[in-house]
Amino acid sequence: MIIRLFIRLVVLAVIIGLVAKIVPGIHTHGSFLWLLWIALIFSVVNLILGPLFHLLTLPLIILTLGLFLIIVNAALLGITAALTKHLSVDSFGAAVLGGLLIAVFSWLAELLLPPFRKGRKGRRRSSEPAPAA
């Protein structure tokens, strides 16, 4: 489970680095280790403030059929930039585009990563014979 979390963190760091290359108003400063640090901060901000923002803006999310989630993602990206000096977001428009791209790329990465299985259910021991086909 720890390895899977680390893989997700590395994938998020790559996504943030890619978004910084694509979006003109988003800049990262430092090496890949600093990208991992930014990804960790973004994950913690998203974990703590994300559900709170979703709950507080639920009427707007429903009214806009979910499009207001793009603004929430932009706010979370802006908060992350405020918490670290290794990420800077120049404008609200850059934050909106960056939040949208991070959401889309994260969704695509989630489709490519193998699903997480809880426990050892479904795995067979090496001493057990293979099932007949």
Side-chain angles (χ1 to χ4, degrees), residues 14 22 36 53 124:
V14 169
I22 294 172
L36 283 173
F53 284 5
R124 65 182 162 85

Side-chain angles (χ1 to χ4, degrees), residues 40-127:
L40 180 66
I41 292 174
F42 184 72
S43 296
V44 170
V45 166
N46 210 356
L47 179 71
I48 295 171
L49 294 179
L52 180 66
F53 284 5
H54 290 156
L55 183 64
L56 291 175
T57 61
L58 187 61
L60 288 173
I61 292 171
I62 293 171
L63 187 64
T64 62
L65 302 176
L67 289 177
F68 197 76
L69 287 172
I70 297 170
I71 306 302
V72 171
N73 285 342
L76 295 173
L77 186 62
I79 291 170
T80 303
L83 291 175
T84 180
K85 64 180 180 177
H86 297 284
L87 175 68
S88 60
V89 179
D90 294 341
S91 65
F92 180 71
V96 169
L97 184 57
L100 177 65
L101 288 177
I102 288 173
V104 168
F105 291 156
S106 295
W107 174 71
L108 289 173
E110 186 67 31
L111 290 177
L112 297 176
L113 287 176
F116 176 69
R117 284 190 252 166
K118 292 184 180 180
R120 295 186 175 251
K121 204 177 219 180
R123 295 183 184 175
R124 65 182 162 85
R125 291 188 215 134
S126 60
S127 61

